[in-house]
Amino acid sequence: MTPPMLTLVRPAGPVEAPRVEGVVLRPPVAADTAALGRLYFEAYPPGAASASEQEAIEDIALTFEDAYGVLDPRLSRLALVGDRMVGAILVVQRAPWPDTPDCAFVIELFTAPTHRRLGIARLLLSGCSADTVALRVDDDNTAALTLYRRFGFQDG
């Protein structure tokens, strides 16, 4: 049984972006689909986001085809250490689902297991601070809820 999802919203407002040594951010492009899909699959427990690496890659391809809303190039970012992708935030201008707020929407935020707890997720989120943004999270995902609440997200 899938845990209930919470919708959280963060109003626009300044935040201090953490410095994460060696991490460079850049916008994602369609050519990143395979690498981003592999990272997406690696970032979640088996079966949580997708059943296979190929399914994860196909899901990311759908993201670039606007299946989950129009990807916002101002807010979506990849985190890289050297040439290795270690994190990503994918934000659409507005989610296509009727029960979501009318604002930018984080459809994915994930980091490589080897690069967690270094501030990468906070760094990626900080790029959205000038806009009101919303997201969904499992209500039993304590780590994610803690991150989002500390970042100023409130029940939407």
Side-chain angles (χ1 to χ4, degrees), residues 10 13 15 17-18 25 75 77 88-89 91 106 108-109 119-131 133-135 144 147-153:
R10 184 192 183 279
V15 296
L25 301 182
L75 304 178
R77 290 287 179 264
I89 187 168
V91 183
V106 177
E108 290 297 342
L109 172 63
I120 293 170
R122 288 191 320 274
L123 178 62
L124 290 164
L125 280 168
S126 70
C128 299
S129 64
D131 294 66
V133 295
L135 53 77
L147 168 69
Y148 298 142
R149 298 240 189 256
R150 284 185 182 156
F151 206 78
F153 280 87

Side-chain angles (χ1 to χ4, degrees), residues 4-9 68 94-105 134-137 155-156:
M5 299 291 279
L6 295 175
T7 299
L8 303 178
V9 179
Y68 308 114
R94 189 198 183 299
W97 308 290
D99 60 342
T100 55
D102 187 17
C103 62
F105 196 88
L135 53 77
R136 282 190 178 147
V137 61
D155 291 351

Side-chain angles (χ1 to χ4, degrees), residues 21-83:
E21 192 66 36
V23 174
V24 175
L25 301 182
R26 71 164 172 83
V29 294
D32 295 314
T33 298
L36 191 52
R38 285 189 294 275
L39 176 61
Y40 178 51
F41 182 70
E42 172 190 347
Y44 289 97
S50 41
S52 68
E53 185 177 279
Q54 184 57 42
E55 185 180 296
I57 292 168
E58 290 167 5
D59 196 34
I60 295 297
L62 288 171
T63 300
F64 284 108
E65 294 167 10
D66 300 335
Y68 308 114
V70 176
L71 202 60
D72 191 328
R74 297 175 311 112
L75 304 178
S76 298
R77 290 287 179 264
L78 302 178
L80 298 114
V81 173
D83 61 356

